[in-house]
Amino acid sequence: MKGKIIRTAILLFFSAFLLYAQEDTESSPAWNIAELDTARNVTYLSSVEKDVILYTNMARSNPSQFAEDFIKPRLSCYDGKLLKFPGGKIFMTSEGVKAAQECYEVLMKASPLGILIPDPGLSLAAMDHVIDQGSAGTIGHDGTDKSTPTSRIRRYGSSFKKIAENIMYGMDTGEEIVIQLLIDDNVPDRGHRKNILQADLTQAGVAIGPHKNYVIMCVIEYADGFVLKPDLEEQIKALSGRKNN
């Protein structure tokens, strides 16, 4: 079946490596980490890439609890358009508290969704884009080789019913990557948030690497019905060799 791409805007952050002091919410009874941490035992993802899938699954499985634990605490950290993190980090936003408040309200009303399962083929497609854009210093969903999310995913599999792609620049923790994509500051259609909360996406691949202009970037590929091509053992092994677990 021909894949359907869910449109999403590119979210750019001009301040790298934000840190946000959260309570130890992962140990809360609300979170069944053993169930939600679907990528923890795979060998081809780094610990931060695994965290991206974990926090995504937390937001999908219990959106209202995620809103209370991760979005609500930062609502009081805004001073106009400045987001002032504990510890002195300051981040300039475009919308101020508006986008975060909207995110909180949306998540409080959202229905629980199924969790995402990691797929190495989707991570291979994501890494292709990280390597391409990172070295070139470009942004967006199109590669310097004219590739698109669809063509990159088709290098490694087929039969998908739907795909989507999110890209984050400048964030270095799985928690903050997912939170910022959900808040979606300065993205009018909240395309990143919509992708994360798509009920009919069931698989995910993540790749994080250096970026020439934004220090670090993360590409997340989502799919439903993706079937991995055979004989990709060497490529997956090479992907595992890039990670620092």
Side-chain angles (χ1 to χ4, degrees):
M1 183 180 294
K2 184 177 180 181
K4 178 182 178 183
I5 301 177
I6 304 173
R7 184 179 66 84
T8 178
I10 291 293
L11 190 60
L12 298 181
F13 287 93
F14 297 95
S15 178
F17 303 108
L18 292 185
L19 299 175
Y20 185 51
Q22 293 281 6
E23 296 180 0
D24 187 15
T25 51
E26 286 188 30
S27 62
S28 166
W31 304 114
N32 184 348
I33 298 302
E35 177 182 336
L36 300 174
D37 204 6
T38 55
R40 192 57 52 183
N41 293 325
V42 305
T43 61
Y44 56 85
L45 295 176
S46 71
S47 59
V48 177
E49 289 164 351
K50 294 173 185 180
D51 284 345
V52 170
I53 293 181
L54 169 60
Y55 283 97
T56 300
N57 282 340
M58 292 171 73
R60 286 172 64 91
S61 67
N62 197 339
S64 61
Q65 190 66 48
F66 194 93
E68 290 289 347
D69 287 352
F70 295 96
I71 307 301
K72 187 176 181 179
R74 68 180 54 203
L75 296 180
S76 61
C77 297
Y78 286 86
D79 181 5
K81 293 186 177 181
L82 294 179
L83 178 56
K84 297 182 177 180
F85 290 88
K89 296 288 185 179
I90 298 177
F91 173 50
M92 175 62 75
T93 70
S94 293
E95 300 179 59
V97 73
K98 174 186 174 182
Q101 181 66 45
E102 177 197 297
C103 177
Y104 174 78
E105 293 171 1
V106 168
L107 291 177
M108 289 299 294
K109 297 176 183 178
S111 300
L113 305 174
I115 59 178
L116 301 176
I117 302 301
D119 187 279
L122 296 175
S123 287
L124 285 167
M127 182 56 75
D128 283 353
H129 202 43
V130 168
I131 293 172
D132 177 31
Q133 283 202 335
S135 59
T138 55
I139 61 172
H141 294 283
D142 294 332
T144 61
D145 57 358
K146 309 301 181 185
S147 67
T148 65
T150 301
S151 66
R152 290 189 293 271
I153 289 174
R154 281 181 174 157
R155 293 170 183 167
Y156 303 105
S158 59
S159 301
F160 48 82
K161 302 172 185 177
K162 180 178 288 188
I163 65 169
E165 180 178 86
N166 278 350
I167 305 176
M168 170 66 68
Y169 302 88
M171 298 295 169
D172 70 332
T173 70
E175 177 183 338
E176 197 62 35
I177 287 168
V178 173
I179 289 173
Q180 293 293 350
L181 288 171
L182 283 167
I183 292 175
D184 232 359
D185 181 83
N186 201 33
V187 181
D189 70 352
R190 310 302 190 207
H192 301 93
R193 183 192 304 161
K194 291 176 181 177
N195 283 349
I196 291 175
L197 299 179
Q198 273 289 329
D200 50 359
L201 293 173
T202 60
Q203 301 157 287
V206 185
I208 295 174
H211 190 277
K212 184 177 180 180
N213 294 324
Y214 295 103
V215 184
I216 193 168
M217 67 178 290
C218 174
V219 176
I220 311 166
E221 308 289 4
Y222 311 90
D224 179 53
F226 176 83
V227 178
L228 185 69
K229 288 182 178 180
D231 304 322
L232 290 177
E233 291 83 359
E234 290 303 315
Q235 290 95 320
I236 296 171
K237 183 178 179 180
L239 186 65
S240 299
R242 296 177 59 89
K243 306 306 176 184
N244 179 20
N245 293 293

